[in-house]
Structures are given as C-alpha cells and as structure tokens.
Amino acid sequence: MKLYNLMLRCVNIPYSATDHTANFSTERDGDTLFIFFQDSADADDWQINLDFPAKAYKRMGQTVWRAHRGFLEAWKRTEPLLAEVIMDKSVKKMILTGYSHGAAIALLCHEYVWFNRPELRSSLEGYGFGCPKVLWGKKNTDIDQRWERFTVIRNIDDIVTHLPPSFLGYRHVGKMLVIGKEGKYSSLDAHRSENILTELRAYCESMDNTAALGNN
C-alpha cells in the first residue's frame, strides 16, 4: 500500500503557501527525507500550468535540456527554499511525491537531487500522481537516466497526464504505471484525487494479494 499511502499523505498534508513558488511540505523519518508537492492551489498555479512553451534548463553542467517553462520557473523559485534540507548530509534517502501540478515540480526536484546528491541516486525515489508532461524534445538516454527512479502514475483516462500534447514536442520520462479501467471515468474525473486513490487502493491490494499467493 506504499503508493496509496504516499498519495493519501500528499493530498492531506498541510502545506505552507509561498508566493510565486510551488507549495511543498517536508517530513523527516530517521535518515529519510520526504518532500511533498501540492496540486494547483490558486490562479497563479493554473497560469503556470498553461505557460507551456519549452525553455532551456542550463544550470546542470554542460548538459542543456528543455522543459515546460511554467513548471521550470516555479521550480527555480522553489529551489532555494529546499536547497538546505536537500543538501543536508545526514539525509541518506529521499522520497519525492507530487500530485498534478505538484507532480511536475516533484519531477524537476528529482533531477535536482540526482544531480546535486549523486551519492543518493540508488536510494532516490520519485512519484508523480496525475503528472503532466514536463520534458520537451526527443528521447535522450544520457538525460533520461536522471529519472530512472521516478514513476508517473496515470489513472488510465486522466487527461492531465496526456498534456501538453505530444505534437508540441512534450513527453514523459521515468517509468509509467497505468492503473484503473478504461472508460470508467471521464478524462477530467480520472484526474480527481479521490478517484486516483480509489484505483490505487485496488491496484495495491491486487499486488499484495498476488505477492501473498506467490509466497504460498
């Protein structure tokens, strides 16, 4: 039930609103740091969501890649607020979680941790529930490896996970986990947190049952 519990926490945890940044919350459990990113909370967030021309991210060494401009700007404004806790050497594992708008920010935060804390790459985990597409451009193995431990969770008909459309050059990175049943929800209802949670619970229970049978 790990995925279910992570999303449940993500949609219910208190967030501190910060002007012009992504709303986030952090928790510490021993040497594990959890960072949660909130979904669209106000008109500014929706403006960010719709600001989808691609913009180059030039701060990652010599590698230049392009991402959704609105999400990138939101992350750049949020980054200084999280830099200290991310760079805390007493943290040995990080789990980043976001829903919708927050999932896109979690994806960018994941890359920041991957680049700046290379010793944590094998223990870094990222989860984007109802995550929109963030990266722009053709598949690039050298770049895409940064998200090998990031998982996009799509309730099968969720419209947000198909945006911005592929014909504009956007694509998903990381792994894709598809849950739910086709046609059960409208494209908008499939994105609602309560429906994603319903399908996540069913998925996790089926996985637990399968594992239990395999151990018999």
Side-chain angles (χ1 to χ4, degrees):
M1 298 295 285
K2 176 180 177 178
L3 288 179
Y4 176 83
N5 291 329
L6 277 176
M7 182 169 180
L8 187 66
R9 189 66 180 133
C10 188
V11 298
N12 289 313
I13 194 171
Y15 290 93
S16 298
T18 308
D19 290 343
H20 307 300
T21 65
N23 294 345
F24 65 87
S25 185
T26 62
E27 289 185 343
R28 187 78 181 261
D29 182 9
D31 59 6
T32 300
L33 174 67
F34 293 83
I35 306 179
F36 297 93
F37 295 93
Q38 190 179 24
D39 60 316
S40 300
D42 52 34
D44 285 344
D45 288 345
W46 281 107
Q47 184 175 352
I48 287 170
N49 297 346
L50 297 173
D51 185 14
F52 55 78
K55 183 176 180 178
Y57 195 171
K58 299 180 179 179
R59 296 181 58 188
M60 299 291 101
Q62 299 300 312
T63 302
V64 177
W65 46 274
R66 294 180 179 274
H68 183 293
R69 183 171 66 186
F71 295 138
L72 191 55
E73 290 297 326
W75 165 244
K76 285 183 176 180
R77 291 193 295 262
T78 307
E79 175 195 315
L81 305 178
L82 282 170
E84 183 176 355
V85 68
I86 287 175
M87 297 307 296
D88 184 346
K89 297 302 182 181
S90 68
V91 172
K92 305 301 181 184
K93 179 176 182 177
M94 291 191 200
I95 300 176
L96 315 176
T97 305
Y99 163 52
S100 192
H101 168 94
I105 309 304
L107 185 147
L108 293 170
C109 181
H110 188 279
E111 195 278 342
Y112 178 85
V113 176
W114 185 95
F115 185 85
N116 289 285
R117 296 291 306 272
E119 75 278 16
L120 299 186
R121 290 176 185 175
S122 63
S123 61
L124 175 63
E125 297 178 25
Y127 301 96
F129 299 95
C131 187
K133 298 172 187 173
V134 179
L135 253 67
W136 182 92
K138 295 180 180 180
K139 184 176 178 63
N140 184 310
T141 302
D142 290 340
I143 294 174
D144 291 3
Q145 67 175 331
R146 302 177 184 208
W147 291 278
E148 285 180 344
R149 296 180 62 82
F150 189 90
T151 303
V152 174
I153 297 90
R154 167 188 282 169
N155 192 10
I156 192 165
D157 291 324
D158 182 350
I159 185 61
V160 172
T161 62
H162 295 278
L163 298 175
S166 298
F167 70 80
L168 293 179
Y170 283 95
R171 61 187 177 88
H172 283 295
V173 288
K175 302 172 185 175
M176 173 74 72
L177 172 63
V178 180
I179 60 174
K181 297 180 180 179
E182 192 171 8
K184 183 176 180 179
Y185 305 102
S186 71
S187 59
L188 292 177
D189 285 342
H191 185 67
R192 297 185 186 280
S193 60
E194 62 269 25
N195 293 330
I196 297 176
L197 283 166
T198 294
E199 300 308 322
L200 267 177
R201 178 184 284 276
Y203 171 81
C204 291
E205 289 177 347
S206 69
M207 291 296 100
D208 289 345
N209 291 336
T210 299
L213 288 173
N215 292 329
N216 289 335

PDB file of all heavy atoms in Angstrom, residues 96-133:
ATOM      1  N   LEU A  96      10.314  11.738  -3.046  1.00  0.00           N
ATOM      2  CA  LEU A  96       9.648  12.941  -3.535  1.00  0.00           C
ATOM      3  C   LEU A  96       8.293  12.553  -4.110  1.00  0.00           C
ATOM      4  O   LEU A  96       8.197  11.619  -4.913  1.00  0.00           O
ATOM      5  CB  LEU A  96      10.500  13.611  -4.615  1.00  0.00           C
ATOM      6  CG  LEU A  96      11.998  13.732  -4.319  1.00  0.00           C
ATOM      7  CD1 LEU A  96      12.730  14.320  -5.513  1.00  0.00           C
ATOM      8  CD2 LEU A  96      12.230  14.578  -3.075  1.00  0.00           C
ATOM      9  N   THR A  97       7.257  13.272  -3.715  1.00  0.00           N
ATOM     10  CA  THR A  97       5.898  12.922  -4.120  1.00  0.00           C
ATOM     11  C   THR A  97       5.135  14.179  -4.495  1.00  0.00           C
ATOM     12  O   THR A  97       5.193  15.182  -3.779  1.00  0.00           O
ATOM     13  CB  THR A  97       5.151  12.207  -2.978  1.00  0.00           C
ATOM     14  OG1 THR A  97       5.905  11.074  -2.543  1.00  0.00           O
ATOM     15  CG2 THR A  97       3.780  11.750  -3.431  1.00  0.00           C
ATOM     16  N   GLY A  98       4.409  14.123  -5.610  1.00  0.00           N
ATOM     17  CA  GLY A  98       3.577  15.252  -6.008  1.00  0.00           C
ATOM     18  C   GLY A  98       2.337  14.781  -6.738  1.00  0.00           C
ATOM     19  O   GLY A  98       2.321  13.691  -7.322  1.00  0.00           O
ATOM     20  N   TYR A  99       1.310  15.602  -6.696  1.00  0.00           N
ATOM     21  CA  TYR A  99       0.065  15.307  -7.396  1.00  0.00           C
ATOM     22  C   TYR A  99      -0.236  16.440  -8.368  1.00  0.00           C
ATOM     23  O   TYR A  99      -0.190  17.610  -7.993  1.00  0.00           O
ATOM     24  CB  TYR A  99      -1.073  15.131  -6.392  1.00  0.00           C
ATOM     25  CG  TYR A  99      -2.465  15.215  -6.984  1.00  0.00           C
ATOM     26  CD1 TYR A  99      -2.824  14.439  -8.097  1.00  0.00           C
ATOM     27  CD2 TYR A  99      -3.420  16.070  -6.445  1.00  0.00           C
ATOM     28  CE1 TYR A  99      -4.099  14.529  -8.642  1.00  0.00           C
ATOM     29  CE2 TYR A  99      -4.696  16.161  -6.978  1.00  0.00           C
ATOM     30  CZ  TYR A  99      -5.028  15.388  -8.082  1.00  0.00           C
ATOM     31  OH  TYR A  99      -6.284  15.485  -8.636  1.00  0.00           O
ATOM     32  N   SER A 100      -0.516  16.103  -9.622  1.00  0.00           N
ATOM     33  CA  SER A 100      -0.917  17.055 -10.657  1.00  0.00           C
ATOM     34  C   SER A 100       0.174  18.103 -10.862  1.00  0.00           C
ATOM     35  O   SER A 100       1.310  17.769 -11.182  1.00  0.00           O
ATOM     36  CB  SER A 100      -2.266  17.679 -10.273  1.00  0.00           C
ATOM     37  OG  SER A 100      -2.828  18.398 -11.335  1.00  0.00           O
ATOM     38  N   HIS A 101      -0.140  19.377 -10.651  1.00  0.00           N
ATOM     39  CA  HIS A 101       0.858  20.450 -10.722  1.00  0.00           C
ATOM     40  C   HIS A 101       2.077  20.098  -9.862  1.00  0.00           C
ATOM     41  O   HIS A 101       3.229  20.271 -10.278  1.00  0.00           O
ATOM     42  CB  HIS A 101       0.196  21.746 -10.235  1.00  0.00           C
ATOM     43  CG  HIS A 101       1.133  22.878  -9.979  1.00  0.00           C
ATOM     44  ND1 HIS A 101       1.411  23.843 -10.923  1.00  0.00           N
ATOM     45  CD2 HIS A 101       1.827  23.227  -8.875  1.00  0.00           C
ATOM     46  CE1 HIS A 101       2.240  24.724 -10.416  1.00  0.00           C
ATOM     47  NE2 HIS A 101       2.514  24.376  -9.174  1.00  0.00           N
ATOM     48  N   GLY A 102       1.827  19.586  -8.676  1.00  0.00           N
ATOM     49  CA  GLY A 102       2.919  19.221  -7.775  1.00  0.00           C
ATOM     50  C   GLY A 102       3.755  18.070  -8.284  1.00  0.00           C
ATOM     51  O   GLY A 102       4.943  17.968  -7.964  1.00  0.00           O
ATOM     52  N   ALA A 103       3.139  17.189  -9.089  1.00  0.00           N
ATOM     53  CA  ALA A 103       3.897  16.070  -9.656  1.00  0.00           C
ATOM     54  C   ALA A 103       4.960  16.568 -10.622  1.00  0.00           C
ATOM     55  O   ALA A 103       6.076  16.038 -10.673  1.00  0.00           O
ATOM     56  CB  ALA A 103       2.945  15.109 -10.373  1.00  0.00           C
ATOM     57  N   ALA A 104       4.620  17.599 -11.407  1.00  0.00           N
ATOM     58  CA  ALA A 104       5.592  18.181 -12.334  1.00  0.00           C
ATOM     59  C   ALA A 104       6.761  18.803 -11.579  1.00  0.00           C
ATOM     60  O   ALA A 104       7.923  18.678 -11.990  1.00  0.00           O
ATOM     61  CB  ALA A 104       4.915  19.233 -13.208  1.00  0.00           C
ATOM     62  N   ILE A 105       6.473  19.453 -10.455  1.00  0.00           N
ATOM     63  CA  ILE A 105       7.542  20.054  -9.651  1.00  0.00           C
ATOM     64  C   ILE A 105       8.375  18.965  -8.994  1.00  0.00           C
ATOM     65  O   ILE A 105       9.608  19.082  -8.897  1.00  0.00           O
ATOM     66  CB  ILE A 105       6.957  21.011  -8.590  1.00  0.00           C
ATOM     67  CG1 ILE A 105       5.991  22.015  -9.224  1.00  0.00           C
ATOM     68  CG2 ILE A 105       8.084  21.750  -7.871  1.00  0.00           C
ATOM     69  CD1 ILE A 105       6.575  22.840 -10.345  1.00  0.00           C
ATOM     70  N   ALA A 106       7.731  17.893  -8.552  1.00  0.00           N
ATOM     71  CA  ALA A 106       8.473  16.769  -7.973  1.00  0.00           C
ATOM     72  C   ALA A 106       9.437  16.171  -8.987  1.00  0.00           C
ATOM     73  O   ALA A 106      10.556  15.783  -8.648  1.00  0.00           O
ATOM     74  CB  ALA A 106       7.492  15.698  -7.482  1.00  0.00           C
ATOM     75  N   LEU A 107       9.015  16.118 -10.244  1.00  0.00           N
ATOM     76  CA  LEU A 107       9.873  15.585 -11.306  1.00  0.00           C
ATOM     77  C   LEU A 107      11.123  16.445 -11.482  1.00  0.00           C
ATOM     78  O   LEU A 107      12.236  15.928 -11.624  1.00  0.00           O
ATOM     79  CB  LEU A 107       9.083  15.506 -12.605  1.00  0.00           C
ATOM     80  CG  LEU A 107       9.767  14.859 -13.817  1.00  0.00           C
ATOM     81  CD1 LEU A 107       8.734  14.129 -14.681  1.00  0.00           C
ATOM     82  CD2 LEU A 107      10.487  15.895 -14.667  1.00  0.00           C
ATOM     83  N   LEU A 108      10.966  17.761 -11.439  1.00  0.00           N
ATOM     84  CA  LEU A 108      12.115  18.652 -11.574  1.00  0.00           C
ATOM     85  C   LEU A 108      12.991  18.623 -10.325  1.00  0.00           C
ATOM     86  O   LEU A 108      14.223  18.682 -10.416  1.00  0.00           O
ATOM     87  CB  LEU A 108      11.642  20.075 -11.870  1.00  0.00           C
ATOM     88  CG  LEU A 108      10.972  20.241 -13.234  1.00  0.00           C
ATOM     89  CD1 LEU A 108      10.307  21.614 -13.351  1.00  0.00           C
ATOM     90  CD2 LEU A 108      11.982  20.061 -14.366  1.00  0.00           C
ATOM     91  N   CYS A 109      12.368  18.501  -9.171  1.00  0.00           N
ATOM     92  CA  CYS A 109      13.128  18.375  -7.925  1.00  0.00           C
ATOM     93  C   CYS A 109      13.939  17.079  -7.934  1.00  0.00           C
ATOM     94  O   CYS A 109      15.085  17.049  -7.468  1.00  0.00           O
ATOM     95  CB  CYS A 109      12.170  18.397  -6.737  1.00  0.00           C
ATOM     96  SG  CYS A 109      12.977  18.272  -5.123  1.00  0.00           S
ATOM     97  N   HIS A 110      13.357  16.036  -8.474  1.00  0.00           N
ATOM     98  CA  HIS A 110      14.038  14.743  -8.572  1.00  0.00           C
ATOM     99  C   HIS A 110      15.352  14.880  -9.339  1.00  0.00           C
ATOM    100  O   HIS A 110      16.390  14.353  -8.927  1.00  0.00           O
ATOM    101  CB  HIS A 110      13.095  13.756  -9.274  1.00  0.00           C
ATOM    102  CG  HIS A 110      13.573  12.345  -9.292  1.00  0.00           C
ATOM    103  ND1 HIS A 110      14.492  11.871 -10.200  1.00  0.00           N
ATOM    104  CD2 HIS A 110      13.240  11.280  -8.511  1.00  0.00           C
ATOM    105  CE1 HIS A 110      14.709  10.596  -9.983  1.00  0.00           C
ATOM    106  NE2 HIS A 110      13.971  10.206  -8.973  1.00  0.00           N
ATOM    107  N   GLU A 111      15.303  15.610 -10.443  1.00  0.00           N
ATOM    108  CA  GLU A 111      16.521  15.811 -11.241  1.00  0.00           C
ATOM    109  C   GLU A 111      17.554  16.625 -10.464  1.00  0.00           C
ATOM    110  O   GLU A 111      18.754  16.357 -10.536  1.00  0.00           O
ATOM    111  CB  GLU A 111      16.159  16.505 -12.557  1.00  0.00           C
ATOM    112  CG  GLU A 111      17.241  16.461 -13.623  1.00  0.00           C
ATOM    113  CD  GLU A 111      18.308  17.526 -13.461  1.00  0.00           C
ATOM    114  OE1 GLU A 111      18.045  18.507 -12.727  1.00  0.00           O
ATOM    115  OE2 GLU A 111      19.387  17.389 -14.068  1.00  0.00           O
ATOM    116  N   TYR A 112      17.078  17.606  -9.711  1.00  0.00           N
ATOM    117  CA  TYR A 112      17.976  18.445  -8.903  1.00  0.00           C
ATOM    118  C   TYR A 112      18.701  17.586  -7.862  1.00  0.00           C
ATOM    119  O   TYR A 112      19.919  17.721  -7.669  1.00  0.00           O
ATOM    120  CB  TYR A 112      17.158  19.537  -8.220  1.00  0.00           C
ATOM    121  CG  TYR A 112      17.948  20.446  -7.317  1.00  0.00           C
ATOM    122  CD1 TYR A 112      18.626  21.551  -7.823  1.00  0.00           C
ATOM    123  CD2 TYR A 112      18.007  20.207  -5.944  1.00  0.00           C
ATOM    124  CE1 TYR A 112      19.352  22.400  -6.989  1.00  0.00           C
ATOM    125  CE2 TYR A 112      18.728  21.042  -5.099  1.00  0.00           C
ATOM    126  CZ  TYR A 112      19.397  22.136  -5.628  1.00  0.00           C
ATOM    127  OH  TYR A 112      20.116  22.964  -4.797  1.00  0.00           O
ATOM    128  N   VAL A 113      17.967  16.708  -7.197  1.00  0.00           N
ATOM    129  CA  VAL A 113      18.589  15.822  -6.210  1.00  0.00           C
ATOM    130  C   VAL A 113      19.565  14.875  -6.900  1.00  0.00           C
ATOM    131  O   VAL A 113      20.679  14.657  -6.422  1.00  0.00           O
ATOM    132  CB  VAL A 113      17.515  15.036  -5.429  1.00  0.00           C
ATOM    133  CG1 VAL A 113      18.173  14.041  -4.476  1.00  0.00           C
ATOM    134  CG2 VAL A 113      16.598  15.981  -4.657  1.00  0.00           C
ATOM    135  N   TRP A 114      19.148  14.300  -8.025  1.00  0.00           N
ATOM    136  CA  TRP A 114      20.002  13.373  -8.772  1.00  0.00           C
ATOM    137  C   TRP A 114      21.328  14.037  -9.121  1.00  0.00           C
ATOM    138  O   TRP A 114      22.395  13.424  -8.998  1.00  0.00           O
ATOM    139  CB  TRP A 114      19.277  12.930 -10.047  1.00  0.00           C
ATOM    140  CG  TRP A 114      19.996  11.891 -10.850  1.00  0.00           C
ATOM    141  CD1 TRP A 114      19.818  10.541 -10.802  1.00  0.00           C
ATOM    142  CD2 TRP A 114      21.016  12.114 -11.847  1.00  0.00           C
ATOM    143  NE1 TRP A 114      20.652   9.903 -11.696  1.00  0.00           N
ATOM    144  CE2 TRP A 114      21.408  10.841 -12.354  1.00  0.00           C
ATOM    145  CE3 TRP A 114      21.625  13.250 -12.367  1.00  0.00           C
ATOM    146  CZ2 TRP A 114      22.366  10.701 -13.343  1.00  0.00           C
ATOM    147  CZ3 TRP A 114      22.607  13.101 -13.350  1.00  0.00           C
ATOM    148  CH2 TRP A 114      22.967  11.846 -13.832  1.00  0.00           C
ATOM    149  N   PHE A 115      21.290  15.288  -9.537  1.00  0.00           N
ATOM    150  CA  PHE A 115      22.499  15.980  -9.967  1.00  0.00           C
ATOM    151  C   PHE A 115      23.356  16.431  -8.789  1.00  0.00           C
ATOM    152  O   PHE A 115      24.583  16.292  -8.818  1.00  0.00           O
ATOM    153  CB  PHE A 115      22.120  17.195 -10.819  1.00  0.00           C
ATOM    154  CG  PHE A 115      23.300  17.913 -11.410  1.00  0.00           C
ATOM    155  CD1 PHE A 115      23.858  17.491 -12.610  1.00  0.00           C
ATOM    156  CD2 PHE A 115      23.865  19.014 -10.783  1.00  0.00           C
ATOM    157  CE1 PHE A 115      24.954  18.144 -13.158  1.00  0.00           C
ATOM    158  CE2 PHE A 115      24.969  19.669 -11.320  1.00  0.00           C
ATOM    159  CZ  PHE A 115      25.502  19.231 -12.508  1.00  0.00           C
ATOM    160  N   ASN A 116      22.719  16.950  -7.744  1.00  0.00           N
ATOM    161  CA  ASN A 116      23.455  17.556  -6.644  1.00  0.00           C
ATOM    162  C   ASN A 116      23.791  16.601  -5.498  1.00  0.00           C
ATOM    163  O   ASN A 116      24.672  16.909  -4.695  1.00  0.00           O
ATOM    164  CB  ASN A 116      22.659  18.741  -6.087  1.00  0.00           C
ATOM    165  CG  ASN A 116      22.643  19.917  -7.037  1.00  0.00           C
ATOM    166  OD1 ASN A 116      23.624  20.638  -7.196  1.00  0.00           O
ATOM    167  ND2 ASN A 116      21.506  20.108  -7.707  1.00  0.00           N
ATOM    168  N   ARG A 117      23.100  15.469  -5.427  1.00  0.00           N
ATOM    169  CA  ARG A 117      23.400  14.467  -4.399  1.00  0.00           C
ATOM    170  C   ARG A 117      23.638  13.117  -5.070  1.00  0.00           C
ATOM    171  O   ARG A 117      22.864  12.168  -4.900  1.00  0.00           O
ATOM    172  CB  ARG A 117      22.250  14.360  -3.389  1.00  0.00           C
ATOM    173  CG  ARG A 117      21.973  15.585  -2.549  1.00  0.00           C
ATOM    174  CD  ARG A 117      23.081  15.871  -1.534  1.00  0.00           C
ATOM    175  NE  ARG A 117      23.391  14.750  -0.672  1.00  0.00           N
ATOM    176  CZ  ARG A 117      22.762  14.495   0.487  1.00  0.00           C
ATOM    177  NH1 ARG A 117      21.777  15.278   0.897  1.00  0.00           N
ATOM    178  NH2 ARG A 117      23.131  13.455   1.231  1.00  0.00           N
ATOM    179  N   PRO A 118      24.718  12.976  -5.848  1.00  0.00           N
ATOM    180  CA  PRO A 118      24.948  11.730  -6.600  1.00  0.00           C
ATOM    181  C   PRO A 118      25.041  10.502  -5.716  1.00  0.00           C
ATOM    182  O   PRO A 118      24.746   9.389  -6.172  1.00  0.00           O
ATOM    183  CB  PRO A 118      26.261  12.003  -7.344  1.00  0.00           C
ATOM    184  CG  PRO A 118      26.907  13.134  -6.615  1.00  0.00           C
ATOM    185  CD  PRO A 118      25.790  13.969  -6.088  1.00  0.00           C
ATOM    186  N   GLU A 119      25.427  10.685  -4.455  1.00  0.00           N
ATOM    187  CA  GLU A 119      25.545   9.535  -3.559  1.00  0.00           C
ATOM    188  C   GLU A 119      24.172   8.956  -3.196  1.00  0.00           C
ATOM    189  O   GLU A 119      24.089   7.841  -2.650  1.00  0.00           O
ATOM    190  CB  GLU A 119      26.316   9.925  -2.293  1.00  0.00           C
ATOM    191  CG  GLU A 119      25.552  10.766  -1.285  1.00  0.00           C
ATOM    192  CD  GLU A 119      25.518  12.257  -1.615  1.00  0.00           C
ATOM    193  OE1 GLU A 119      25.821  12.631  -2.764  1.00  0.00           O
ATOM    194  OE2 GLU A 119      25.180  13.057  -0.709  1.00  0.00           O
ATOM    195  N   LEU A 120      23.104   9.699  -3.487  1.00  0.00           N
ATOM    196  CA  LEU A 120      21.757   9.224  -3.152  1.00  0.00           C
ATOM    197  C   LEU A 120      21.018   8.635  -4.354  1.00  0.00           C
ATOM    198  O   LEU A 120      19.852   8.253  -4.233  1.00  0.00           O
ATOM    199  CB  LEU A 120      20.918  10.387  -2.583  1.00  0.00           C
ATOM    200  CG  LEU A 120      21.406  11.047  -1.301  1.00  0.00           C
ATOM    201  CD1 LEU A 120      20.379  12.061  -0.816  1.00  0.00           C
ATOM    202  CD2 LEU A 120      21.680  10.016  -0.211  1.00  0.00           C
ATOM    203  N   ARG A 121      21.673   8.557  -5.492  1.00  0.00           N
ATOM    204  CA  ARG A 121      20.956   8.124  -6.701  1.00  0.00           C
ATOM    205  C   ARG A 121      20.332   6.744  -6.568  1.00  0.00           C
ATOM    206  O   ARG A 121      19.255   6.495  -7.102  1.00  0.00           O
ATOM    207  CB  ARG A 121      21.902   8.167  -7.910  1.00  0.00           C
ATOM    208  CG  ARG A 121      22.241   9.591  -8.317  1.00  0.00           C
ATOM    209  CD  ARG A 121      23.260   9.645  -9.445  1.00  0.00           C
ATOM    210  NE  ARG A 121      23.636  11.030  -9.726  1.00  0.00           N
ATOM    211  CZ  ARG A 121      24.577  11.377 -10.584  1.00  0.00           C
ATOM    212  NH1 ARG A 121      25.245  10.452 -11.263  1.00  0.00           N
ATOM    213  NH2 ARG A 121      24.859  12.659 -10.778  1.00  0.00           N
ATOM    214  N   SER A 122      20.977   5.845  -5.868  1.00  0.00           N
ATOM    215  CA  SER A 122      20.449   4.486  -5.750  1.00  0.00           C
ATOM    216  C   SER A 122      19.304   4.385  -4.746  1.00  0.00           C
ATOM    217  O   SER A 122      18.564   3.389  -4.733  1.00  0.00           O
ATOM    218  CB  SER A 122      21.561   3.510  -5.348  1.00  0.00           C
ATOM    219  OG  SER A 122      22.084   3.843  -4.075  1.00  0.00           O
ATOM    220  N   SER A 123      19.133   5.408  -3.915  1.00  0.00           N
ATOM    221  CA  SER A 123      18.066   5.377  -2.907  1.00  0.00           C
ATOM    222  C   SER A 123      17.006   6.453  -3.154  1.00  0.00           C
ATOM    223  O   SER A 123      16.033   6.546  -2.408  1.00  0.00           O
ATOM    224  CB  SER A 123      18.656   5.554  -1.495  1.00  0.00           C
ATOM    225  OG  SER A 123      19.323   6.800  -1.376  1.00  0.00           O
ATOM    226  N   LEU A 124      17.171   7.246  -4.190  1.00  0.00           N
ATOM    227  CA  LEU A 124      16.216   8.302  -4.519  1.00  0.00           C
ATOM    228  C   LEU A 124      14.959   7.710  -5.139  1.00  0.00           C
ATOM    229  O   LEU A 124      15.031   6.857  -6.020  1.00  0.00           O
ATOM    230  CB  LEU A 124      16.867   9.289  -5.492  1.00  0.00           C
ATOM    231  CG  LEU A 124      15.991  10.411  -6.061  1.00  0.00           C
ATOM    232  CD1 LEU A 124      15.497  11.330  -4.950  1.00  0.00           C
ATOM    233  CD2 LEU A 124      16.774  11.196  -7.109  1.00  0.00           C
ATOM    234  N   GLU A 125      13.797   8.160  -4.673  1.00  0.00           N
ATOM    235  CA  GLU A 125      12.526   7.715  -5.234  1.00  0.00           C
ATOM    236  C   GLU A 125      11.661   8.935  -5.538  1.00  0.00           C
ATOM    237  O   GLU A 125      11.603   9.873  -4.745  1.00  0.00           O
ATOM    238  CB  GLU A 125      11.770   6.804  -4.263  1.00  0.00           C
ATOM    239  CG  GLU A 125      12.484   5.506  -3.935  1.00  0.00           C
ATOM    240  CD  GLU A 125      11.714   4.663  -2.941  1.00  0.00           C
ATOM    241  OE1 GLU A 125      10.468   4.827  -2.866  1.00  0.00           O
ATOM    242  OE2 GLU A 125      12.337   3.861  -2.232  1.00  0.00           O
ATOM    243  N   GLY A 126      11.001   8.909  -6.693  1.00  0.00           N
ATOM    244  CA  GLY A 126      10.105   9.996  -7.058  1.00  0.00           C
ATOM    245  C   GLY A 126       8.801   9.445  -7.602  1.00  0.00           C
ATOM    246  O   GLY A 126       8.800   8.461  -8.355  1.00  0.00           O
ATOM    247  N   TYR A 127       7.671  10.077  -7.219  1.00  0.00           N
ATOM    248  CA  TYR A 127       6.355   9.626  -7.646  1.00  0.00           C
ATOM    249  C   TYR A 127       5.507  10.824  -8.056  1.00  0.00           C
ATOM    250  O   TYR A 127       5.356  11.778  -7.281  1.00  0.00           O
ATOM    251  CB  TYR A 127       5.660   8.843  -6.521  1.00  0.00           C
ATOM    252  CG  TYR A 127       6.445   7.638  -6.079  1.00  0.00           C
ATOM    253  CD1 TYR A 127       7.295   7.711  -4.970  1.00  0.00           C
ATOM    254  CD2 TYR A 127       6.379   6.443  -6.790  1.00  0.00           C
ATOM    255  CE1 TYR A 127       8.045   6.618  -4.574  1.00  0.00           C
ATOM    256  CE2 TYR A 127       7.131   5.337  -6.396  1.00  0.00           C
ATOM    257  CZ  TYR A 127       7.953   5.428  -5.292  1.00  0.00           C
ATOM    258  OH  TYR A 127       8.709   4.340  -4.902  1.00  0.00           O
ATOM    259  N   GLY A 128       4.984  10.764  -9.280  1.00  0.00           N
ATOM    260  CA  GLY A 128       4.144  11.841  -9.789  1.00  0.00           C
ATOM    261  C   GLY A 128       2.755  11.312 -10.100  1.00  0.00           C
ATOM    262  O   GLY A 128       2.554  10.651 -11.118  1.00  0.00           O
ATOM    263  N   PHE A 129       1.797  11.599  -9.236  1.00  0.00           N
ATOM    264  CA  PHE A 129       0.424  11.139  -9.429  1.00  0.00           C
ATOM    265  C   PHE A 129      -0.318  12.129 -10.330  1.00  0.00           C
ATOM    266  O   PHE A 129      -0.372  13.317 -10.030  1.00  0.00           O
ATOM    267  CB  PHE A 129      -0.293  11.014  -8.081  1.00  0.00           C
ATOM    268  CG  PHE A 129       0.358  10.014  -7.162  1.00  0.00           C
ATOM    269  CD1 PHE A 129       1.280  10.419  -6.207  1.00  0.00           C
ATOM    270  CD2 PHE A 129       0.043   8.668  -7.264  1.00  0.00           C
ATOM    271  CE1 PHE A 129       1.876   9.495  -5.356  1.00  0.00           C
ATOM    272  CE2 PHE A 129       0.637   7.732  -6.424  1.00  0.00           C
ATOM    273  CZ  PHE A 129       1.551   8.148  -5.472  1.00  0.00           C
ATOM    274  N   GLY A 130      -0.866  11.624 -11.440  1.00  0.00           N
ATOM    275  CA  GLY A 130      -1.547  12.521 -12.382  1.00  0.00           C
ATOM    276  C   GLY A 130      -0.596  13.551 -12.947  1.00  0.00           C
ATOM    277  O   GLY A 130      -0.939  14.720 -13.101  1.00  0.00           O
ATOM    278  N   CYS A 131       0.606  13.123 -13.288  1.00  0.00           N
ATOM    279  CA  CYS A 131       1.678  14.039 -13.695  1.00  0.00           C
ATOM    280  C   CYS A 131       1.539  14.461 -15.158  1.00  0.00           C
ATOM    281  O   CYS A 131       1.417  13.611 -16.042  1.00  0.00           O
ATOM    282  CB  CYS A 131       3.026  13.361 -13.496  1.00  0.00           C
ATOM    283  SG  CYS A 131       4.459  14.445 -13.766  1.00  0.00           S
ATOM    284  N   PRO A 132       1.569  15.761 -15.440  1.00  0.00           N
ATOM    285  CA  PRO A 132       1.613  16.206 -16.836  1.00  0.00           C
ATOM    286  C   PRO A 132       2.995  15.962 -17.430  1.00  0.00           C
ATOM    287  O   PRO A 132       3.938  15.617 -16.712  1.00  0.00           O
ATOM    288  CB  PRO A 132       1.316  17.707 -16.728  1.00  0.00           C
ATOM    289  CG  PRO A 132       1.775  18.084 -15.359  1.00  0.00           C
ATOM    290  CD  PRO A 132       1.552  16.879 -14.494  1.00  0.00           C
ATOM    291  N   LYS A 133       3.111  16.141 -18.727  1.00  0.00           N
ATOM    292  CA  LYS A 133       4.409  16.026 -19.386  1.00  0.00           C
ATOM    293  C   LYS A 133       5.221  17.280 -19.083  1.00  0.00           C
ATOM    294  O   LYS A 133       4.691  18.385 -19.101  1.00  0.00           O
ATOM    295  CB  LYS A 133       4.227  15.856 -20.890  1.00  0.00           C
ATOM    296  CG  LYS A 133       3.477  14.596 -21.286  1.00  0.00           C
ATOM    297  CD  LYS A 133       3.160  14.598 -22.772  1.00  0.00           C
ATOM    298  CE  LYS A 133       2.261  13.436 -23.130  1.00  0.00           C
ATOM    299  NZ  LYS A 133       1.805  13.506 -24.543  1.00  0.00           N
TER     300      LYS A 133
END
